[in-house]
Amino acid sequence: MMRNVTLFVYLLSLGFVFGHVSYTIPEEMAKGSLIGNIARDLGLQMKRLTSGKARLFTRDSDDCVELSRERGVLLVKKRIDREALCKKATPCALHFQIILENPIEFYNVAVQIEDINDNAPTFEKTELEFKISESTNIGATFALKRAADPDVGINDLKSYTLNPTDNFALKLNSNPDGIKNVEMVLQKLLDREKQDQMNLVLTAIDGGEPQMSGTMLIAIRILDANDNAPVFSQKIYKASVSENSPAGTIVAAVIASDADDGSNSKIKYSISNTLDGVGKMFEVNTENGEVKLIGNIDYEEYRNYEIDLLATDEGGLTGSCKLIVDVQDTNDNNPEIRIMSQSSVISEDSTLRTVVIVMSIDDKDSGQNGETKCFINDDVPFSLTSSNNNFYSLVTDSELDRERHSEYIITVICNDEGVPSLSSSVTLSLKISDVNDNSPVFERSSYEAHIVENNKPGLSIFSITATDADWNQNARVSYILEDSSVNGVPVSSYVSVSADSGIIHAVRSFDYEQIKEFQFRVKAQDGGSPPLSSNVTVNILIQDQNDNPPQVLYPVQTSGSLVAEMVPRSADMGYLVTKVVAVDVDSGQNAWLSYKLQKATDRALFEVGLQNGEIRTIRQVTDKDAVKQRLTVIVEDNGQPSRSATVIVNVAVADSFPDVLSEFTEFSHDKEYNANITFYLVLALAVVSFLFITCLVVIISVKIYRWRQSRILYHSNLPVIPYYPPRYSDTLGSGTLPHVYNYEVCRTNDSRKSDNKSGGAYSQNVFIMDPSTSGTMQRMQSEKSILDEPDSPLEQKPPNNDWRFTQGQRPGPSGATGGPEVAMGTGPWPQPPTEAEQLQALMAAANEVSEATATLGPGTMGLSTRYSPQFTLQHVPDYRQNVYIPGSTATLTSNPQQQQATAQQATQQALPPPQASAQAEPPKAAQTPASKKKSTKKEKK
């Protein structure tokens, strides 16, 4: 076995390897015979054949060769018959390709099939008969049937022999195409009388080893003289016919003539070489020599035909010629598109010029009819590149993006250049695999949500949504709450986020008064590797609920004493009695307060401002009006449902404190006057003793009360406002109430006989009555003690113009203001009277009573009053704004933290300040009118 290996390997611009290898083998090899070691000849490793899934690709359906990947060799798949495969064509070769993948490589392989002498020459007929006239001249020729040998080359037909050779000799004539015609030449005249017929054997011998031969019997009947043979007008005729011409088409016409007369000149035409398939395609009219088409002629099968024609006369003489028919090609074959290698999925991050599909284009036509051009649709990011062997590769020519196109339908169209042009197309589907190249995107740049306070823990607030343009796992979004803090508390204790749905839940119940809003960040992360993420800010706004009732700041409701506002009987309509001050820690309309008069002793006398809480007279006060007026004011907010608080305001309608005391005390007044000094002395002693015991009880009660108040202030969450009654300005613009007095009252049994003294200007018409005692005790802070003022019986001093405090002034201890000014909100509050001062005041009152028994009569009682520091309108809080705590610089706001700080500050200010190191000496008791009268009487005596 001969093997010829030729290898060419080079790189193409298409991105794959191309090579060529050639083998030569004889035909008729047994199945499984070795053709060649393709792995060694191509320089490939055995594992490359396996990993690359090496396979054969052939355009012919008849596969004669197979590839063994394990051995890396080419084997004969079935018996190869060169004559059946190539007929007479030389050289005869099998062409196919070896395809490898990952990366794509292919190699051209050619297997040359060498002919062996496996076919003997054969004649179309085994017997040929001649009728030869005896008058035939020596040298006459008789055309014989040529033998046919399918083998080629040296194994083809080489020679003929004729036996016996007594009368005839064999003559071979070479044609221009190299084919030899066989003729039998008469070399000795025939003698019918001696032999009327003879049999000759024509033997055809090939040139193979060993030689093979075929024979044909020639029967000769010797006729009477016909000494002229037919002669054709041309030895060689040429004609052409288009392929696919219909049957019956006249191809050509041959003409022969015979010089004989009569029946010896009558000629019949015939085709002598019907063995080569000519007889299936053509036939000749025996009478007129027309050659016509009887079969379907195909240029791709035979490109030309050679027809041997005979002209035979009646005497058996023949003449011969050759008709060469050229088949003309027509464009009757569409280009054939065959997919050699295809990737159905390609990643979207593939680089440019990545080979996706390799195709082979074949057109069986020739010339322009066989030249093809291929193209694809323009709306795809791919292009076709071709090689010189009609191989096309589909490669990427731009970036791929699965989010824009997840699949491409590619149509490959190939046209030939024939007229008319024929085309073929194939549709390919190519999917783009996803790469995690897109981050999740939220629907909004930020989110804002509202939740009503006092919600249930676990309540769903709202949901956020993020989308990812990727696919499958790369598009699966998870939501993560980022670590942060709100007021020092981790945000995870406020809200939680569902990882799958993005729903935000409240972890706790929110209180608007503690926190009004907070924000946090949520991260959306996809499931890619590595994962991509984005975040968004979420702002939660707490909405207020009307869950807090109004709180009344003034007047302060105490359980141990009675607070009353005094209105003079000369008050005109619109007189400002007092102002109810209330706040609501809610916000918005839940904190809008309205004031209504719910109950009143006399509804026709007072009214309450709906929005400012000011209590004013709605008519002129008269003497018929009751002294004691009790008003119930209800404070409501504007929430749904509304919440409210009530406050009781006691109003005394009187021009002086004695009038008030007569109404608010339960003392019995005996109008009979007893001049018995002894009775009055005993009574004075009893009163002094009673007052002393009462003072001790009051001092102890005050100490206990203050201790309890301090405990309440330290343990209360709401700010505690100490009771310092404010002084409001009336609507006439004077800035204060029109009459402010400080009274010292000495009241006898006869209520119409009293000694009144008007004190300094630091008093206010508000008094406190302790129901536990029969008398009236009022606290006061003034410049001087009432005991130090000069006597002024039955006189009322005009108001002092210098009674107003500046913002930086506060009364000092025991009412002294002679010290340096103290900044408002920084200095101590005025201190209450010391025990020594209280005892000295009681003793002075007792002395006055004892000295005035002769004139006033028994049952006389002295009363001394003091008043708290002034509080002007500028300290009154506005219900629409933050609330100012009287006596301090703190402000009540809706912020819980500020409220807490304000409450602490107010608590500190409400606590009693420490005693000063240097207390003022207790003032001496001033002389009363009674004492003066007593001294006068003594002098007279």
Side-chain angles (χ1 to χ4, degrees):
M1 179 186 66
M2 298 179 61
R3 182 174 69 249
N4 180 22
V5 179
T6 304
L7 177 63
F8 299 92
V9 179
Y10 56 95
L11 297 177
L12 294 180
S13 61
L14 301 179
F16 53 83
V17 177
F18 177 85
H20 176 76
V21 64
S22 176
Y23 297 93
T24 301
I25 62 172
E27 66 174 333
E28 303 294 337
M29 292 182 67
K31 180 180 178 181
S33 299
L34 176 65
I35 297 175
N37 192 328
I38 190 67
R40 180 190 62 194
D41 297 335
L42 292 177
L44 299 175
Q45 296 181 357
M46 300 296 294
K47 61 181 181 180
R48 173 60 181 141
L49 295 176
T50 304
S51 63
K53 300 178 181 179
R55 56 190 173 85
L56 298 182
F57 172 81
T58 177
R59 297 177 182 176
D60 301 323
S61 60
D62 190 10
D63 297 331
C64 299
V65 179
E66 65 179 355
L67 172 64
S68 175
R69 295 180 188 171
E70 295 77 14
R71 298 169 55 190
V73 295
L74 293 176
L75 303 175
V76 175
K77 188 175 182 181
K78 65 179 181 179
R79 186 181 67 86
I80 301 174
D81 186 2
R82 193 205 66 80
E83 287 72 25
L85 186 65
C86 300
K87 294 183 174 58
K88 299 292 286 185
T90 57
C92 182
L94 296 175
H95 295 278
F96 54 90
Q97 288 78 34
I98 294 180
I99 307 298
L100 290 90
E101 298 179 354
N102 300 321
I104 295 175
E105 298 175 309
F106 74 95
Y107 302 89
N108 286 328
V109 179
V111 178
Q112 298 285 345
I113 308 299
E114 288 186 343
D115 183 54
I116 63 174
N117 193 20
D118 58 338
N119 292 284
T122 57
F123 291 91
E124 182 180 2
K125 295 180 179 180
T126 58
E127 184 175 350
L128 182 62
E129 181 179 339
F130 286 96
K131 294 179 180 180
I132 303 174
S133 175
E134 62 179 1
S135 60
T136 302
N137 297 324
I138 295 175
T141 61
F142 302 90
L144 303 178
K145 299 283 187 180
R146 286 189 297 113
D149 193 341
D151 295 330
V152 295
I154 195 173
N155 297 320
D156 198 2
L157 180 64
K158 294 300 181 182
S159 62
Y160 293 88
T161 61
L162 183 65
N163 289 307
T165 59
D166 296 337
N167 296 96
F168 295 90
L170 194 61
K171 182 181 179 182
L172 298 178
N173 295 323
S174 297
N175 293 329
D177 56 357
I179 298 177
K180 295 179 179 181
N181 293 327
V182 182
E183 294 180 345
M184 185 175 63
V185 181
L186 182 63
Q187 63 180 358
K188 183 180 179 180
L189 293 174
L190 298 176
D191 188 0
R192 188 188 67 84
E193 286 72 21
K194 291 182 179 180
Q195 188 179 4
D196 58 354
Q197 80 177 37
M198 61 181 64
N199 294 323
L200 304 177
V201 176
L202 179 63
T203 303
I205 304 172
D206 60 20
E209 271 306 315
Q211 287 185 341
M212 300 184 72
S213 63
T215 61
M216 180 179 66
L217 178 63
I218 300 174
I220 300 175
R221 288 178 61 193
I222 301 173
L223 301 176
D224 202 15
N226 181 21
D227 46 306
N228 290 291
V231 177
F232 284 95
S233 60
Q234 296 179 182
K235 292 299 288 184
I236 298 176
Y237 292 87
K238 290 185 178 181
S240 62
V241 63
S242 298
E243 67 172 328
N244 301 322
S245 295
T249 301
I250 303 299
V251 178
V254 296
I255 299 174
S257 63
D258 195 320
D260 294 328
D261 293 328
S263 61
N264 289 332
S265 64
K266 190 176 180 179
I267 300 174
K268 290 186 178 181
Y269 299 94
S270 62
I271 297 175
S272 62
N273 59 330
T274 57
L275 187 62
D276 295 337
V278 176
K280 295 180 180 180
M281 288 291 177
F282 303 96
E283 72 176 6
V284 63
N285 191 322
T286 59
E287 301 296 333
N288 56 18
E290 290 181 352
V291 179
K292 65 180 180 180
L293 193 64
I294 62 173
N296 295 323
I297 192 168
D298 188 1
Y299 172 83
E300 285 71 40
E301 186 175 356
Y302 289 99
R303 298 191 177 185
N304 56 70
Y305 291 89
E306 294 182 0
I307 305 173
D308 295 330
L309 297 174
L310 292 178
T312 306
D313 59 16
E314 289 290 337
L317 298 178
T318 61
S320 64
C321 73
K322 183 181 290 293
L323 175 61
I324 300 176
V325 180
D326 292 328
V327 181
Q328 294 180 346
D329 183 39
T330 59
N331 192 24
D332 59 343
N333 291 280
N334 295 333
E336 295 182 6
I337 303 174
R338 297 184 181 182
I339 305 301
M340 299 175 58
S341 179
Q342 177 181 1
S343 299
S344 59
V345 179
I346 183 173
S347 176
E348 65 176 326
D349 61 349
S350 298
T351 59
L352 297 180
R353 313 302 296 175
T354 299
V355 179
V356 180
I357 299 172
V358 177
M359 297 172 291
S360 171
I361 313 300
D362 184 30
D363 195 322
K364 294 182 178 179
D365 295 323
S366 63
Q368 292 293 108
N369 296 331
E371 295 182 4
T372 59
K373 290 184 179 179
C374 299
F375 57 91
I376 60 175
N377 42 320
D378 297 332
D379 56 345
V380 294
F382 301 95
S383 61
L384 277 178
T385 57
S386 62
S387 66
N388 54 358
N389 289 339
N390 286 337
F391 286 99
Y392 284 84
S393 296
L394 183 68
V395 298
T396 59
D397 65 351
S398 62
E399 294 183 354
L400 303 177
D401 189 356
R402 191 208 64 84
E403 287 67 45
R404 289 186 297 176
H405 294 283
S406 61
E407 182 178 5
Y408 289 96
I409 304 300
I410 304 170
T411 301
V412 180
I413 301 175
C414 294
N415 297 330
D416 60 25
E417 297 186 4
V419 179
S421 176
L422 298 178
S423 64
S424 298
S425 64
V426 62
T427 300
L428 308 172
S429 176
L430 184 61
K431 294 184 179 180
I432 309 301
S433 61
D434 185 48
V435 174
N436 190 24
D437 55 350
N438 289 278
S439 302
V441 178
F442 285 95
E443 293 179 345
R444 304 178 188 173
S445 58
S446 63
Y447 289 87
E448 183 175 287
H450 298 78
I451 183 173
V452 180
E453 67 172 333
N454 303 318
N455 59 287
K456 293 182 179 180
L459 177 67
S460 173
I461 302 176
F462 76 114
S463 65
I464 59 177
T465 303
T467 57
D468 196 310
D470 291 324
W471 181 75
N472 204 359
Q473 185 67 23
N474 295 330
R476 185 173 298 171
V477 179
S478 299
Y479 302 91
I480 303 171
L481 180 65
E482 292 190 352
D483 294 334
S484 61
S485 61
V486 177
N487 297 331
V489 179
V491 72
S492 58
S493 63
Y494 286 86
V495 294
S496 65
V497 179
S498 175
D500 296 329
S501 62
I503 299 177
I504 297 178
H505 299 271
V507 175
R508 63 168 63 177
S509 178
F510 296 108
D511 187 359
Y512 176 84
E513 287 70 41
Q514 293 182 359
I515 182 170
K516 294 179 173 57
E517 65 176 315
F518 63 94
Q519 68 178 14
F520 54 90
R521 296 180 71 83
V522 177
K523 180 171 68 174
Q525 180 174 291
D526 60 25
S529 180
L532 300 178
S533 63
S534 60
N535 49 38
V536 69
T537 300
V538 180
N539 191 24
I540 302 296
L541 302 177
I542 312 300
Q543 292 183 340
D544 183 44
Q545 253 188 349
N546 192 25
D547 56 345
N548 292 282
Q551 301 177 14
V552 178
L553 301 181
Y554 183 81
V556 178
Q557 301 296 293
T558 59
S559 60
S561 61
L562 181 64
V563 180
E565 302 286 345
M566 190 172 74
V567 176
R569 293 187 180 274
S570 61
D572 296 331
M573 180 179 65
Y575 179 82
L576 178 63
V577 178
T578 186
K579 181 174 182 178
V580 177
V581 179
V583 294
D584 195 320
V585 296
D586 292 324
S587 66
Q589 64 178 4
N590 294 330
W592 296 354
L593 302 181
S594 60
Y595 303 83
K596 297 178 182 178
L597 184 61
Q598 187 180 31
K599 295 180 181 179
T601 304
D602 188 356
R603 279 187 172 273
L605 182 57
F606 300 100
E607 68 176 357
V608 179
L610 180 63
Q611 296 184 352
N612 55 19
E614 294 179 350
I615 301 177
R616 294 180 181 272
T617 59
I618 57 177
R619 62 174 174 81
Q620 177 72 37
V621 180
T622 64
D623 294 339
K624 296 180 180 181
D625 294 326
V627 175
K628 184 176 181 181
Q629 299 284 338
R630 183 181 179 89
L631 309 179
T632 301
V633 178
I634 182 170
V635 183
E636 293 182 344
D637 58 26
N638 198 35
Q640 292 295 333
S642 175
R643 292 176 175 267
S644 62
T646 58
V647 58
I648 297 175
V649 180
N650 295 298
V651 179
V653 180
D655 290 331
S656 61
F657 278 107
D659 296 339
V660 176
L661 295 176
S662 65
E663 183 67 25
F664 282 84
T665 59
E666 298 179 358
F667 292 125
S668 62
H669 301 283
D670 188 5
K671 295 184 178 180
E672 295 181 358
Y673 179 76
N674 190 354
N676 192 349
I677 300 301
T678 303
F679 175 77
Y680 286 104
L681 291 175
V682 173
L683 180 60
L685 182 60
V687 169
V688 169
S689 300
F690 174 78
L691 292 176
F692 178 77
I693 295 172
T694 301
C695 289
L696 291 178
V697 173
V698 168
I699 291 172
I700 294 172
S701 299
V702 169
K703 293 294 184 181
I704 294 174
Y705 176 77
R706 290 182 177 178
W707 177 78
R708 288 182 177 178
Q709 287 295 103
S710 64
R711 294 283 294 178
I712 294 174
L713 291 174
Y714 276 110
H715 291 84
S716 176
N717 291 329
L718 294 175
V720 179
I721 313 294
Y723 174 62
Y724 295 105
R727 173 174 299 163
Y728 302 97
S729 63
D730 57 7
T731 59
L732 300 178
S734 61
T736 62
L737 296 175
H739 301 287
V740 182
Y741 301 102
N742 187 13
Y743 290 99
E744 179 177 319
V745 180
C746 296
R747 186 173 179 84
T748 62
N749 291 336
D750 188 0
S751 62
R752 297 183 180 275
K753 296 179 181 180
S754 302
D755 293 338
N756 297 333
K757 291 183 180 181
S758 60
Y762 313 108
S763 64
Q764 183 178 342
N765 55 341
V766 179
F767 60 91
I768 304 174
M769 297 186 67
D770 192 344
S772 63
T773 62
S774 60
T776 301
M777 189 171 95
Q778 301 181 353
R779 296 180 184 178
M780 57 180 286
Q781 296 291 339
S782 59
E783 286 187 5
K784 296 181 181 180
S785 173
I786 191 71
L787 300 176
D788 295 336
E789 293 179 0
D791 295 336
S792 179
L794 302 178
E795 275 185 11
Q796 180 174 335
K797 295 181 181 181
N800 188 356
N801 294 329
D802 298 331
W803 67 274
R804 297 178 179 86
F805 281 104
T806 64
Q807 293 293 333
Q809 292 177 339
R810 298 278 179 93
S814 301
T817 59
E821 294 182 357
V822 181
M824 184 175 185
T826 58
W829 286 99
Q831 297 180 0
T834 62
E835 295 179 2
E837 290 176 342
Q838 294 175 355
L839 291 176
Q840 191 170 1
L842 292 175
M843 294 300 297
N847 290 333
E848 291 180 1
V849 172
S850 63
E851 291 175 0
T853 51
T855 304
L856 301 178
T860 304
M861 179 178 181
L863 183 66
S864 178
T865 59
R866 291 183 179 180
Y867 299 95
S868 60
Q870 73 173 15
F871 189 84
T872 61
L873 185 60
Q874 60 187 336
H875 300 91
V876 179
D878 191 348
Y879 76 98
R880 296 166 297 178
Q881 300 176 352
N882 298 332
V883 178
Y884 170 77
I885 300 178
S888 71
T889 59
T891 302
L892 285 180
T893 65
S894 59
N895 190 331
Q897 297 178 355
Q898 295 181 1
Q899 290 178 3
Q900 185 177 0
T902 304
Q904 294 178 359
Q905 184 176 0
T907 303
Q908 295 176 1
Q909 293 180 355
L911 293 177
Q915 297 290 335
S917 59
Q919 295 285 346
E921 295 182 359
K924 298 180 180 180
Q927 292 183 353
T928 63
S931 64
K932 289 184 178 182
K933 292 180 179 180
K934 184 177 180 180
S935 60
T936 305
K937 290 180 180 180
K938 288 181 179 181
E939 290 176 356
K940 289 181 178 181
K941 290 181 179 181

